[in-house]
């Protein structure tokens, strides 16, 4: 493939890396080194958008002639943010709290062209309605998949799909952490079409 532009993913997430690999483009990954804390009174969608831009911008000087992809996701339910559980006990608590409820996953993607300094961003929300979850089902799921690095404690791309009643989104890859439909459109406008 004749790929004239350097493409960089501003992320160390294996999930985002796996998603970007689906497009068949050569790319590099680099850690963005951004403080991911929310600002006071900042809405989840605003946090995701701001951080996706900051992640792309943080690599600008390292890659002076590249297309840099930044992405961020903030999950919430009933006004409370859902972080990565980190361990089994937190994941149990998180899934119990999500049982029978709807969570929103706000995923933003930004594409920075460091040659022109143009940046394009898009927010792709995903509503996830969880089934009513029995404790035995939660335990069985967590033992098998151990999704302790996933906000919401459920990997929709894996066995976590069994915990979900339905999803509403324009792009199912947004739930995994990188909205590929939006990104494909951005790359084409930036002169790097996925399909010639």
């Amino acid at each position: 493939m004749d790929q004239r532009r350097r493409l960089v993913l501003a992320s160390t997430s294996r999930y985002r890396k796996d998603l970007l690999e689906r497009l068949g483009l050569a790319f590099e990954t680099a850690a963005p080194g951004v403080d991911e804390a929310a600002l006071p009174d900042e809405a989840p969608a605003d946090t995701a958008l701001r951080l996706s831009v900051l992640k792309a911008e943080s690599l600008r000087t390292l890659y002076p002639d590249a297309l840099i992809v930044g992405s961020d996701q903030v999950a919430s339910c009933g006004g409370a943010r859902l972080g990565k559980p980190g361990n089994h006990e937190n994941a149990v608590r998180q899934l119990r709290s999500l049982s029978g409820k709807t969570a929103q996953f706000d995923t933003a993607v930004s594409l920075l062209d460091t040659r022109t300094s143009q940046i394009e961003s898009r927010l792709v929300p995903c509503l996830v309605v969880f089934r009513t979850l029995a404790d035995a089902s939660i335990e069985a799921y967590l033992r098998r998949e151990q999704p302790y690095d996933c906000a919401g404690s459920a990997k929709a791309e894996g066995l976590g799909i069994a915990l979900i009643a339905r999803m509403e989104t324009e792009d199912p890859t947004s739930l995994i952490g990188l909205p590929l439909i939006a990104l494909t459109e951005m790359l084409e406008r930036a002169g790097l079409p996925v399909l010639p």
Side-chain angles (χ1 to χ4, degrees), residues 30-146:
V34 166
D35 179 359
E36 298 193 31
L39 299 176
D41 301 320
E42 187 175 42
D46 294 338
T47 301
L49 270 169
R50 179 177 60 81
L51 291 178
S52 75
V53 170
L54 280 178
K55 288 176 180 181
E57 291 279 4
S58 73
L59 299 178
R60 174 193 288 272
T61 56
L62 291 175
Y63 300 94
D65 186 13
L67 296 170
I68 303 176
V69 178
S71 187
D72 193 76
Q73 181 183 80
V74 180
S76 59
C77 181
R81 292 182 186 234
L82 305 170
K84 298 172 183 176
N87 62 44
H88 185 84
E89 295 73 26
N90 290 339
V92 168
R93 273 194 294 278
Q94 201 168 67
L95 287 174
R96 280 181 181 157
S97 74
L98 290 170
S99 177
K101 296 190 179 135
T102 300
Q104 178 150 331
F105 291 77
D106 287 304
T107 307
V109 60
S110 295
L111 184 67
L112 170 65
D113 185 336
T114 57
R115 181 188 293 167
T116 65
S117 291
Q118 285 189 300
I119 190 159
E120 183 178 0
S121 299
R122 184 111 143 255
L123 180 74
V124 184
C126 180
L127 291 178
V128 177
V129 180
F130 283 84
R131 298 177 188 275
T132 300
L133 306 173
D135 281 352
S137 298
I138 290 172
E139 287 291 344
Y141 168 68
L142 293 176
R143 272 196 310 276
R144 286 175 64 184
E145 194 148 72
Q146 300 179 11

Side-chain angles (χ1 to χ4, degrees), residues 157-173:
E157 69 276 25
L159 184 60
I161 202 73
L163 306 177
I164 295 169
R166 73 177 183 278
M167 294 184 285
E168 297 171 22
T169 183
E170 65 188 49
D171 184 348
T173 59

